[in-house]
Amino acid sequence: MPLNSTQVKTKQPGTHADGGGLYLVVRESGERVWAFRFTAPDGKRATMEFAGVGDKEGQLGLTEARDQARAYRLALKKNGIDPRHKKKIDAKGGKSFKEYWGEKAPGWCVGKHRDELKSWERSLRDIPILHDLKLHEIDTPQVIEALKGIWWEKPITANRTRERIEKVLDAAKVEKYRAGENPAAWRGNLKLVLPSARKLNKKRGHASVPYAKAPALMVELHNDPGRVARCVEVGILTVTRSQEIRLMEWDEINFDKKTWLIPADKMKIKGDGEEKPKDHLVPLTDQAIAIIKSMPRLGRYVFPSDHAIEHQPFFPNALTNCIKRAGFAFTMHGMRTTFRNWGADSKEHNFRREVLEFCLSHRVGDEAELSYWDSDMIDRRRVVMEAWSRFMKPNVKLKSTRTGRVVPVPDGRRPRARLR
């Protein structure tokens, strides 16, 4: 039977149930405290004393104790939050999401690109709904509501924001400002209710350029002394993804065999129903090898950022911005489209479709065909990449006209691409 206020004051030593997991504990000394019994998320039974009985500071009356027990039950049932953790959070006091984000972001950006902190600040501005919420109050529906405004408009940026929310809430859990599962986690959580950011971005397509205009880009990149320009050049010559070329490491290159082995974990991001990535062997042309060997060996990465304090690769936007500075409005991934169109239209070489697809690290054919086909086609792909290299860098000095047509210029004049 539920207790009444008189019984709370007169009960003899022992443990007395009020219902809903709430108990009155009376000690032999006469001290009276409230306790909550529950089944913890790990399946074990537990008891937690959470307040003294009374009306002084730090003590609770019967009504307040019932309210507190109800809050513990709801947190446990709804979010799987252990009441012992919730007690620590309540005792420590809550911080707002915006306040905690502002405290942590500068430290996480130390040693990274000088614009990294600005990128974190932009992400925070994109999710105003979360700003004033306490860290322990944030739940999955609130994270979804915060991301909905940007998820379809700019999916890749939105996913980066989601990752940052997840990191902030993970840190808050470590420092006991919240408990339970991370509401911004992707696998087993947001993945079930939001479409893949990568697939949304793929539907938009990547800005590309007609292959007839592509050699003009190489002319302009050649005149750019920055490391990022060298990274873009090799990325174009190997038709690899931005993620793969930015993370190229010296140990992955075999100069004797003229190959670059990209590990599976650097290939296309796993998940979302896509085939599991595999190691990918890339044939390197003499032109690509010459550029790679021109790079100073400063650490593990072939193309380290020249803006970061510590040795680290470029950010994805660095490559796209380099292309923009050269006067072209397309992306690194768009160059893969340019290559594929060039290979398909080439009457001179008549390349096989599956060879071109393999150059892009795509596999063609049904499940049965692929189960019998494990060749890397390295020799055939090398022929394609050599032809692509010759196409992108003819044996004459070039300039590009406003129409995009590439024409030779007299010796002694500096080639300059003016395609806008």
Side-chain angles (χ1 to χ4, degrees), residues 100-132:
Y100 192 68
W101 179 299
E103 289 178 4
K104 291 297 176 184
W108 289 330
C109 295
V110 171
K112 295 190 175 182
H113 191 280
R114 61 188 178 187
D115 292 332
E116 179 71 356
L117 184 57
K118 292 180 181 179
S119 180
W120 274 79
E121 292 170 352
R122 285 194 296 269
S123 292
L124 182 62
R125 289 197 296 269
D126 282 342
I127 47 174
I129 295 174
L130 300 180
H131 287 187
D132 296 330

PDB file of all heavy atoms in Angstrom, residues 100-132:
ATOM      1  N   TYR A 100      28.560  24.110 -24.109  1.00  0.00           N
ATOM      2  CA  TYR A 100      29.520  22.999 -24.078  1.00  0.00           C
ATOM      3  C   TYR A 100      30.248  22.881 -25.411  1.00  0.00           C
ATOM      4  O   TYR A 100      31.454  22.613 -25.456  1.00  0.00           O
ATOM      5  CB  TYR A 100      28.774  21.702 -23.751  1.00  0.00           C
ATOM      6  CG  TYR A 100      29.692  20.553 -23.416  1.00  0.00           C
ATOM      7  CD1 TYR A 100      30.441  20.564 -22.244  1.00  0.00           C
ATOM      8  CD2 TYR A 100      29.797  19.459 -24.267  1.00  0.00           C
ATOM      9  CE1 TYR A 100      31.278  19.497 -21.929  1.00  0.00           C
ATOM     10  CE2 TYR A 100      30.638  18.400 -23.963  1.00  0.00           C
ATOM     11  CZ  TYR A 100      31.371  18.424 -22.788  1.00  0.00           C
ATOM     12  OH  TYR A 100      32.208  17.371 -22.486  1.00  0.00           O
ATOM     13  N   TRP A 101      29.521  23.051 -26.513  1.00  0.00           N
ATOM     14  CA  TRP A 101      30.133  23.040 -27.853  1.00  0.00           C
ATOM     15  C   TRP A 101      31.243  24.094 -27.927  1.00  0.00           C
ATOM     16  O   TRP A 101      32.350  23.821 -28.405  1.00  0.00           O
ATOM     17  CB  TRP A 101      29.048  23.318 -28.887  1.00  0.00           C
ATOM     18  CG  TRP A 101      29.474  23.384 -30.327  1.00  0.00           C
ATOM     19  CD1 TRP A 101      30.362  24.263 -30.885  1.00  0.00           C
ATOM     20  CD2 TRP A 101      29.028  22.556 -31.410  1.00  0.00           C
ATOM     21  NE1 TRP A 101      30.484  24.048 -32.238  1.00  0.00           N
ATOM     22  CE2 TRP A 101      29.681  23.004 -32.585  1.00  0.00           C
ATOM     23  CE3 TRP A 101      28.133  21.504 -31.512  1.00  0.00           C
ATOM     24  CZ2 TRP A 101      29.455  22.426 -33.839  1.00  0.00           C
ATOM     25  CZ3 TRP A 101      27.902  20.922 -32.754  1.00  0.00           C
ATOM     26  CH2 TRP A 101      28.562  21.376 -33.901  1.00  0.00           C
ATOM     27  N   GLY A 102      30.939  25.300 -27.430  1.00  0.00           N
ATOM     28  CA  GLY A 102      31.918  26.382 -27.459  1.00  0.00           C
ATOM     29  C   GLY A 102      33.150  26.093 -26.623  1.00  0.00           C
ATOM     30  O   GLY A 102      34.256  26.548 -26.945  1.00  0.00           O
ATOM     31  N   GLU A 103      32.990  25.330 -25.552  1.00  0.00           N
ATOM     32  CA  GLU A 103      34.128  24.978 -24.702  1.00  0.00           C
ATOM     33  C   GLU A 103      35.028  23.945 -25.367  1.00  0.00           C
ATOM     34  O   GLU A 103      36.258  24.004 -25.247  1.00  0.00           O
ATOM     35  CB  GLU A 103      33.631  24.415 -23.366  1.00  0.00           C
ATOM     36  CG  GLU A 103      32.989  25.438 -22.456  1.00  0.00           C
ATOM     37  CD  GLU A 103      32.489  24.797 -21.171  1.00  0.00           C
ATOM     38  OE1 GLU A 103      32.722  23.575 -20.986  1.00  0.00           O
ATOM     39  OE2 GLU A 103      31.865  25.500 -20.361  1.00  0.00           O
ATOM     40  N   LYS A 104      34.426  22.978 -26.052  1.00  0.00           N
ATOM     41  CA  LYS A 104      35.176  21.832 -26.568  1.00  0.00           C
ATOM     42  C   LYS A 104      35.767  22.062 -27.956  1.00  0.00           C
ATOM     43  O   LYS A 104      36.860  21.575 -28.253  1.00  0.00           O
ATOM     44  CB  LYS A 104      34.273  20.588 -26.600  1.00  0.00           C
ATOM     45  CG  LYS A 104      33.916  20.069 -25.221  1.00  0.00           C
ATOM     46  CD  LYS A 104      35.171  19.627 -24.501  1.00  0.00           C
ATOM     47  CE  LYS A 104      34.890  19.183 -23.090  1.00  0.00           C
ATOM     48  NZ  LYS A 104      36.125  18.845 -22.357  1.00  0.00           N
ATOM     49  N   ALA A 105      35.064  22.749 -28.826  1.00  0.00           N
ATOM     50  CA  ALA A 105      35.490  22.871 -30.226  1.00  0.00           C
ATOM     51  C   ALA A 105      36.898  23.444 -30.391  1.00  0.00           C
ATOM     52  O   ALA A 105      37.687  22.905 -31.177  1.00  0.00           O
ATOM     53  CB  ALA A 105      34.473  23.703 -31.012  1.00  0.00           C
ATOM     54  N   PRO A 106      37.284  24.524 -29.688  1.00  0.00           N
ATOM     55  CA  PRO A 106      38.636  25.059 -29.894  1.00  0.00           C
ATOM     56  C   PRO A 106      39.738  24.040 -29.623  1.00  0.00           C
ATOM     57  O   PRO A 106      40.734  23.981 -30.349  1.00  0.00           O
ATOM     58  CB  PRO A 106      38.695  26.236 -28.906  1.00  0.00           C
ATOM     59  CG  PRO A 106      37.273  26.657 -28.743  1.00  0.00           C
ATOM     60  CD  PRO A 106      36.496  25.372 -28.775  1.00  0.00           C
ATOM     61  N   GLY A 107      39.573  23.225 -28.588  1.00  0.00           N
ATOM     62  CA  GLY A 107      40.577  22.221 -28.271  1.00  0.00           C
ATOM     63  C   GLY A 107      40.680  21.145 -29.329  1.00  0.00           C
ATOM     64  O   GLY A 107      41.779  20.663 -29.649  1.00  0.00           O
ATOM     65  N   TRP A 108      39.538  20.766 -29.885  1.00  0.00           N
ATOM     66  CA  TRP A 108      39.530  19.726 -30.928  1.00  0.00           C
ATOM     67  C   TRP A 108      40.137  20.245 -32.239  1.00  0.00           C
ATOM     68  O   TRP A 108      40.527  19.451 -33.084  1.00  0.00           O
ATOM     69  CB  TRP A 108      38.112  19.239 -31.173  1.00  0.00           C
ATOM     70  CG  TRP A 108      37.569  18.424 -30.043  1.00  0.00           C
ATOM     71  CD1 TRP A 108      38.276  17.636 -29.189  1.00  0.00           C
ATOM     72  CD2 TRP A 108      36.197  18.294 -29.638  1.00  0.00           C
ATOM     73  NE1 TRP A 108      37.446  17.028 -28.282  1.00  0.00           N
ATOM     74  CE2 TRP A 108      36.156  17.413 -28.532  1.00  0.00           C
ATOM     75  CE3 TRP A 108      35.001  18.833 -30.103  1.00  0.00           C
ATOM     76  CZ2 TRP A 108      34.971  17.061 -27.887  1.00  0.00           C
ATOM     77  CZ3 TRP A 108      33.819  18.482 -29.459  1.00  0.00           C
ATOM     78  CH2 TRP A 108      33.809  17.610 -28.372  1.00  0.00           C
ATOM     79  N   CYS A 109      40.189  21.545 -32.411  1.00  0.00           N
ATOM     80  CA  CYS A 109      40.700  22.121 -33.661  1.00  0.00           C
ATOM     81  C   CYS A 109      42.187  22.459 -33.598  1.00  0.00           C
ATOM     82  O   CYS A 109      42.755  22.882 -34.608  1.00  0.00           O
ATOM     83  CB  CYS A 109      39.908  23.389 -34.016  1.00  0.00           C
ATOM     84  SG  CYS A 109      38.171  23.093 -34.385  1.00  0.00           S
ATOM     85  N   VAL A 110      42.803  22.277 -32.453  1.00  0.00           N
ATOM     86  CA  VAL A 110      44.235  22.587 -32.311  1.00  0.00           C
ATOM     87  C   VAL A 110      45.057  21.708 -33.246  1.00  0.00           C
ATOM     88  O   VAL A 110      44.871  20.486 -33.309  1.00  0.00           O
ATOM     89  CB  VAL A 110      44.702  22.376 -30.854  1.00  0.00           C
ATOM     90  CG1 VAL A 110      46.222  22.483 -30.756  1.00  0.00           C
ATOM     91  CG2 VAL A 110      44.046  23.403 -29.945  1.00  0.00           C
ATOM     92  N   GLY A 111      45.956  22.335 -34.002  1.00  0.00           N
ATOM     93  CA  GLY A 111      46.827  21.597 -34.906  1.00  0.00           C
ATOM     94  C   GLY A 111      46.198  21.270 -36.240  1.00  0.00           C
ATOM     95  O   GLY A 111      46.854  20.685 -37.110  1.00  0.00           O
ATOM     96  N   LYS A 112      44.933  21.634 -36.433  1.00  0.00           N
ATOM     97  CA  LYS A 112      44.263  21.364 -37.697  1.00  0.00           C
ATOM     98  C   LYS A 112      44.268  22.620 -38.575  1.00  0.00           C
ATOM     99  O   LYS A 112      44.862  23.627 -38.239  1.00  0.00           O
ATOM    100  CB  LYS A 112      42.844  20.867 -37.449  1.00  0.00           C
ATOM    101  CG  LYS A 112      42.818  19.508 -36.737  1.00  0.00           C
ATOM    102  CD  LYS A 112      41.438  18.909 -36.715  1.00  0.00           C
ATOM    103  CE  LYS A 112      41.464  17.517 -36.119  1.00  0.00           C
ATOM    104  NZ  LYS A 112      40.118  16.872 -36.129  1.00  0.00           N
ATOM    105  N   HIS A 113      43.590  22.517 -39.684  1.00  0.00           N
ATOM    106  CA  HIS A 113      43.540  23.628 -40.627  1.00  0.00           C
ATOM    107  C   HIS A 113      43.020  24.881 -39.925  1.00  0.00           C
ATOM    108  O   HIS A 113      42.151  24.815 -39.053  1.00  0.00           O
ATOM    109  CB  HIS A 113      42.637  23.258 -41.802  1.00  0.00           C
ATOM    110  CG  HIS A 113      42.715  24.208 -42.956  1.00  0.00           C
ATOM    111  ND1 HIS A 113      42.043  25.404 -42.983  1.00  0.00           N
ATOM    112  CD2 HIS A 113      43.404  24.130 -44.122  1.00  0.00           C
ATOM    113  CE1 HIS A 113      42.293  26.030 -44.113  1.00  0.00           C
ATOM    114  NE2 HIS A 113      43.113  25.282 -44.829  1.00  0.00           N
ATOM    115  N   ARG A 114      43.555  26.026 -40.323  1.00  0.00           N
ATOM    116  CA  ARG A 114      43.203  27.282 -39.654  1.00  0.00           C
ATOM    117  C   ARG A 114      41.727  27.618 -39.764  1.00  0.00           C
ATOM    118  O   ARG A 114      41.194  28.387 -38.955  1.00  0.00           O
ATOM    119  CB  ARG A 114      44.023  28.423 -40.241  1.00  0.00           C
ATOM    120  CG  ARG A 114      43.796  28.641 -41.727  1.00  0.00           C
ATOM    121  CD  ARG A 114      44.771  29.647 -42.310  1.00  0.00           C
ATOM    122  NE  ARG A 114      44.569  29.818 -43.741  1.00  0.00           N
ATOM    123  CZ  ARG A 114      45.381  30.536 -44.504  1.00  0.00           C
ATOM    124  NH1 ARG A 114      46.423  31.122 -43.975  1.00  0.00           N
ATOM    125  NH2 ARG A 114      45.137  30.645 -45.804  1.00  0.00           N
ATOM    126  N   ASP A 115      41.029  27.048 -40.747  1.00  0.00           N
ATOM    127  CA  ASP A 115      39.601  27.317 -40.922  1.00  0.00           C
ATOM    128  C   ASP A 115      38.720  26.274 -40.245  1.00  0.00           C
ATOM    129  O   ASP A 115      37.492  26.345 -40.355  1.00  0.00           O
ATOM    130  CB  ASP A 115      39.250  27.372 -42.412  1.00  0.00           C
ATOM    131  CG  ASP A 115      39.857  28.582 -43.103  1.00  0.00           C
ATOM    132  OD1 ASP A 115      40.078  29.601 -42.420  1.00  0.00           O
ATOM    133  OD2 ASP A 115      40.121  28.502 -44.319  1.00  0.00           O
ATOM    134  N   GLU A 116      39.323  25.301 -39.554  1.00  0.00           N
ATOM    135  CA  GLU A 116      38.527  24.234 -38.949  1.00  0.00           C
ATOM    136  C   GLU A 116      37.573  24.776 -37.890  1.00  0.00           C
ATOM    137  O   GLU A 116      36.402  24.376 -37.824  1.00  0.00           O
ATOM    138  CB  GLU A 116      39.460  23.178 -38.344  1.00  0.00           C
ATOM    139  CG  GLU A 116      38.753  22.021 -37.654  1.00  0.00           C
ATOM    140  CD  GLU A 116      38.042  21.076 -38.605  1.00  0.00           C
ATOM    141  OE1 GLU A 116      38.024  21.364 -39.828  1.00  0.00           O
ATOM    142  OE2 GLU A 116      37.498  20.065 -38.148  1.00  0.00           O
ATOM    143  N   LEU A 117      38.049  25.697 -37.060  1.00  0.00           N
ATOM    144  CA  LEU A 117      37.177  26.246 -36.023  1.00  0.00           C
ATOM    145  C   LEU A 117      36.018  27.022 -36.640  1.00  0.00           C
ATOM    146  O   LEU A 117      34.878  26.957 -36.148  1.00  0.00           O
ATOM    147  CB  LEU A 117      37.976  27.153 -35.086  1.00  0.00           C
ATOM    148  CG  LEU A 117      37.203  27.723 -33.891  1.00  0.00           C
ATOM    149  CD1 LEU A 117      36.598  26.605 -33.054  1.00  0.00           C
ATOM    150  CD2 LEU A 117      38.107  28.600 -33.033  1.00  0.00           C
ATOM    151  N   LYS A 118      36.271  27.735 -37.742  1.00  0.00           N
ATOM    152  CA  LYS A 118      35.187  28.448 -38.430  1.00  0.00           C
ATOM    153  C   LYS A 118      34.153  27.459 -38.957  1.00  0.00           C
ATOM    154  O   LYS A 118      32.952  27.736 -38.938  1.00  0.00           O
ATOM    155  CB  LYS A 118      35.753  29.277 -39.580  1.00  0.00           C
ATOM    156  CG  LYS A 118      36.627  30.447 -39.138  1.00  0.00           C
ATOM    157  CD  LYS A 118      37.141  31.218 -40.336  1.00  0.00           C
ATOM    158  CE  LYS A 118      38.030  32.379 -39.913  1.00  0.00           C
ATOM    159  NZ  LYS A 118      38.558  33.124 -41.083  1.00  0.00           N
ATOM    160  N   SER A 119      34.621  26.303 -39.417  1.00  0.00           N
ATOM    161  CA  SER A 119      33.707  25.279 -39.905  1.00  0.00           C
ATOM    162  C   SER A 119      32.832  24.753 -38.773  1.00  0.00           C
ATOM    163  O   SER A 119      31.626  24.530 -38.961  1.00  0.00           O
ATOM    164  CB  SER A 119      34.504  24.125 -40.533  1.00  0.00           C
ATOM    165  OG  SER A 119      33.645  23.122 -41.021  1.00  0.00           O
ATOM    166  N   TRP A 120      33.398  24.580 -37.585  1.00  0.00           N
ATOM    167  CA  TRP A 120      32.617  24.162 -36.419  1.00  0.00           C
ATOM    168  C   TRP A 120      31.584  25.234 -36.060  1.00  0.00           C
ATOM    169  O   TRP A 120      30.446  24.911 -35.698  1.00  0.00           O
ATOM    170  CB  TRP A 120      33.548  23.917 -35.232  1.00  0.00           C
ATOM    171  CG  TRP A 120      34.129  22.535 -35.203  1.00  0.00           C
ATOM    172  CD1 TRP A 120      35.170  22.062 -35.933  1.00  0.00           C
ATOM    173  CD2 TRP A 120      33.682  21.439 -34.391  1.00  0.00           C
ATOM    174  NE1 TRP A 120      35.403  20.743 -35.635  1.00  0.00           N
ATOM    175  CE2 TRP A 120      34.517  20.341 -34.684  1.00  0.00           C
ATOM    176  CE3 TRP A 120      32.682  21.292 -33.444  1.00  0.00           C
ATOM    177  CZ2 TRP A 120      34.360  19.095 -34.066  1.00  0.00           C
ATOM    178  CZ3 TRP A 120      32.525  20.046 -32.821  1.00  0.00           C
ATOM    179  CH2 TRP A 120      33.355  18.979 -33.133  1.00  0.00           C
ATOM    180  N   GLU A 121      31.979  26.490 -36.163  1.00  0.00           N
ATOM    181  CA  GLU A 121      31.053  27.581 -35.843  1.00  0.00           C
ATOM    182  C   GLU A 121      29.896  27.615 -36.833  1.00  0.00           C
ATOM    183  O   GLU A 121      28.751  27.889 -36.454  1.00  0.00           O
ATOM    184  CB  GLU A 121      31.808  28.908 -35.843  1.00  0.00           C
ATOM    185  CG  GLU A 121      32.806  29.031 -34.688  1.00  0.00           C
ATOM    186  CD  GLU A 121      33.732  30.230 -34.830  1.00  0.00           C
ATOM    187  OE1 GLU A 121      33.691  30.881 -35.916  1.00  0.00           O
ATOM    188  OE2 GLU A 121      34.484  30.536 -33.888  1.00  0.00           O
ATOM    189  N   ARG A 122      30.178  27.347 -38.113  1.00  0.00           N
ATOM    190  CA  ARG A 122      29.100  27.304 -39.114  1.00  0.00           C
ATOM    191  C   ARG A 122      28.148  26.154 -38.823  1.00  0.00           C
ATOM    192  O   ARG A 122      26.919  26.289 -38.968  1.00  0.00           O
ATOM    193  CB  ARG A 122      29.687  27.168 -40.518  1.00  0.00           C
ATOM    194  CG  ARG A 122      30.313  28.444 -41.052  1.00  0.00           C
ATOM    195  CD  ARG A 122      30.571  28.341 -42.542  1.00  0.00           C
ATOM    196  NE  ARG A 122      31.548  27.300 -42.858  1.00  0.00           N
ATOM    197  CZ  ARG A 122      32.856  27.509 -42.948  1.00  0.00           C
ATOM    198  NH1 ARG A 122      33.350  28.721 -42.719  1.00  0.00           N
ATOM    199  NH2 ARG A 122      33.676  26.525 -43.250  1.00  0.00           N
ATOM    200  N   SER A 123      28.695  25.015 -38.417  1.00  0.00           N
ATOM    201  CA  SER A 123      27.843  23.876 -38.079  1.00  0.00           C
ATOM    202  C   SER A 123      26.917  24.215 -36.921  1.00  0.00           C
ATOM    203  O   SER A 123      25.738  23.853 -36.931  1.00  0.00           O
ATOM    204  CB  SER A 123      28.703  22.654 -37.720  1.00  0.00           C
ATOM    205  OG  SER A 123      29.408  22.165 -38.838  1.00  0.00           O
ATOM    206  N   LEU A 124      27.448  24.915 -35.918  1.00  0.00           N
ATOM    207  CA  LEU A 124      26.623  25.290 -34.765  1.00  0.00           C
ATOM    208  C   LEU A 124      25.498  26.234 -35.179  1.00  0.00           C
ATOM    209  O   LEU A 124      24.362  26.114 -34.697  1.00  0.00           O
ATOM    210  CB  LEU A 124      27.502  25.940 -33.695  1.00  0.00           C
ATOM    211  CG  LEU A 124      26.795  26.359 -32.402  1.00  0.00           C
ATOM    212  CD1 LEU A 124      26.212  25.147 -31.700  1.00  0.00           C
ATOM    213  CD2 LEU A 124      27.767  27.088 -31.471  1.00  0.00           C
ATOM    214  N   ARG A 125      25.799  27.164 -36.090  1.00  0.00           N
ATOM    215  CA  ARG A 125      24.762  28.104 -36.554  1.00  0.00           C
ATOM    216  C   ARG A 125      23.648  27.378 -37.312  1.00  0.00           C
ATOM    217  O   ARG A 125      22.513  27.869 -37.355  1.00  0.00           O
ATOM    218  CB  ARG A 125      25.388  29.170 -37.452  1.00  0.00           C
ATOM    219  CG  ARG A 125      26.258  30.176 -36.708  1.00  0.00           C
ATOM    220  CD  ARG A 125      26.496  31.421 -37.546  1.00  0.00           C
ATOM    221  NE  ARG A 125      27.243  31.122 -38.764  1.00  0.00           N
ATOM    222  CZ  ARG A 125      28.554  31.166 -38.865  1.00  0.00           C
ATOM    223  NH1 ARG A 125      29.288  31.483 -37.797  1.00  0.00           N
ATOM    224  NH2 ARG A 125      29.153  30.897 -40.015  1.00  0.00           N
ATOM    225  N   ASP A 126      23.961  26.236 -37.903  1.00  0.00           N
ATOM    226  CA  ASP A 126      22.953  25.497 -38.682  1.00  0.00           C
ATOM    227  C   ASP A 126      21.929  24.784 -37.809  1.00  0.00           C
ATOM    228  O   ASP A 126      20.918  24.295 -38.327  1.00  0.00           O
ATOM    229  CB  ASP A 126      23.644  24.467 -39.587  1.00  0.00           C
ATOM    230  CG  ASP A 126      24.245  25.103 -40.837  1.00  0.00           C
ATOM    231  OD1 ASP A 126      23.833  26.235 -41.166  1.00  0.00           O
ATOM    232  OD2 ASP A 126      25.108  24.473 -41.472  1.00  0.00           O
ATOM    233  N   ILE A 127      22.185  24.669 -36.494  1.00  0.00           N
ATOM    234  CA  ILE A 127      21.287  23.889 -35.624  1.00  0.00           C
ATOM    235  C   ILE A 127      20.846  24.714 -34.415  1.00  0.00           C
ATOM    236  O   ILE A 127      21.069  24.311 -33.269  1.00  0.00           O
ATOM    237  CB  ILE A 127      21.983  22.591 -35.165  1.00  0.00           C
ATOM    238  CG1 ILE A 127      23.415  22.889 -34.665  1.00  0.00           C
ATOM    239  CG2 ILE A 127      22.026  21.567 -36.282  1.00  0.00           C
ATOM    240  CD1 ILE A 127      24.110  21.685 -34.058  1.00  0.00           C
ATOM    241  N   PRO A 128      20.179  25.848 -34.632  1.00  0.00           N
ATOM    242  CA  PRO A 128      19.787  26.726 -33.512  1.00  0.00           C
ATOM    243  C   PRO A 128      18.828  26.064 -32.533  1.00  0.00           C
ATOM    244  O   PRO A 128      18.749  26.475 -31.371  1.00  0.00           O
ATOM    245  CB  PRO A 128      19.146  27.921 -34.220  1.00  0.00           C
ATOM    246  CG  PRO A 128      18.679  27.384 -35.537  1.00  0.00           C
ATOM    247  CD  PRO A 128      19.710  26.368 -35.933  1.00  0.00           C
ATOM    248  N   ILE A 129      18.076  25.054 -32.991  1.00  0.00           N
ATOM    249  CA  ILE A 129      17.093  24.393 -32.123  1.00  0.00           C
ATOM    250  C   ILE A 129      17.760  23.778 -30.895  1.00  0.00           C
ATOM    251  O   ILE A 129      17.155  23.708 -29.817  1.00  0.00           O
ATOM    252  CB  ILE A 129      16.343  23.299 -32.925  1.00  0.00           C
ATOM    253  CG1 ILE A 129      15.530  23.946 -34.043  1.00  0.00           C
ATOM    254  CG2 ILE A 129      15.437  22.474 -32.028  1.00  0.00           C
ATOM    255  CD1 ILE A 129      14.878  22.946 -34.974  1.00  0.00           C
ATOM    256  N   LEU A 130      19.011  23.344 -31.032  1.00  0.00           N
ATOM    257  CA  LEU A 130      19.688  22.661 -29.930  1.00  0.00           C
ATOM    258  C   LEU A 130      20.413  23.615 -28.979  1.00  0.00           C
ATOM    259  O   LEU A 130      20.834  23.198 -27.896  1.00  0.00           O
ATOM    260  CB  LEU A 130      20.701  21.651 -30.483  1.00  0.00           C
ATOM    261  CG  LEU A 130      20.168  20.537 -31.377  1.00  0.00           C
ATOM    262  CD1 LEU A 130      21.311  19.639 -31.829  1.00  0.00           C
ATOM    263  CD2 LEU A 130      19.112  19.718 -30.650  1.00  0.00           C
ATOM    264  N   HIS A 131      20.598  24.855 -29.372  1.00  0.00           N
ATOM    265  CA  HIS A 131      21.472  25.766 -28.635  1.00  0.00           C
ATOM    266  C   HIS A 131      21.165  25.854 -27.145  1.00  0.00           C
ATOM    267  O   HIS A 131      22.068  25.734 -26.306  1.00  0.00           O
ATOM    268  CB  HIS A 131      21.407  27.165 -29.240  1.00  0.00           C
ATOM    269  CG  HIS A 131      22.114  27.267 -30.551  1.00  0.00           C
ATOM    270  ND1 HIS A 131      22.299  28.469 -31.210  1.00  0.00           N
ATOM    271  CD2 HIS A 131      22.688  26.323 -31.342  1.00  0.00           C
ATOM    272  CE1 HIS A 131      22.949  28.248 -32.339  1.00  0.00           C
ATOM    273  NE2 HIS A 131      23.190  26.965 -32.444  1.00  0.00           N
ATOM    274  N   ASP A 132      19.926  26.077 -26.779  1.00  0.00           N
ATOM    275  CA  ASP A 132      19.579  26.352 -25.381  1.00  0.00           C
ATOM    276  C   ASP A 132      19.195  25.108 -24.593  1.00  0.00           C
ATOM    277  O   ASP A 132      18.913  25.196 -23.392  1.00  0.00           O
ATOM    278  CB  ASP A 132      18.437  27.369 -25.316  1.00  0.00           C
ATOM    279  CG  ASP A 132      18.842  28.721 -25.898  1.00  0.00           C
ATOM    280  OD1 ASP A 132      20.033  29.061 -25.807  1.00  0.00           O
ATOM    281  OD2 ASP A 132      17.972  29.413 -26.458  1.00  0.00           O
TER     282      ASP A 132
END
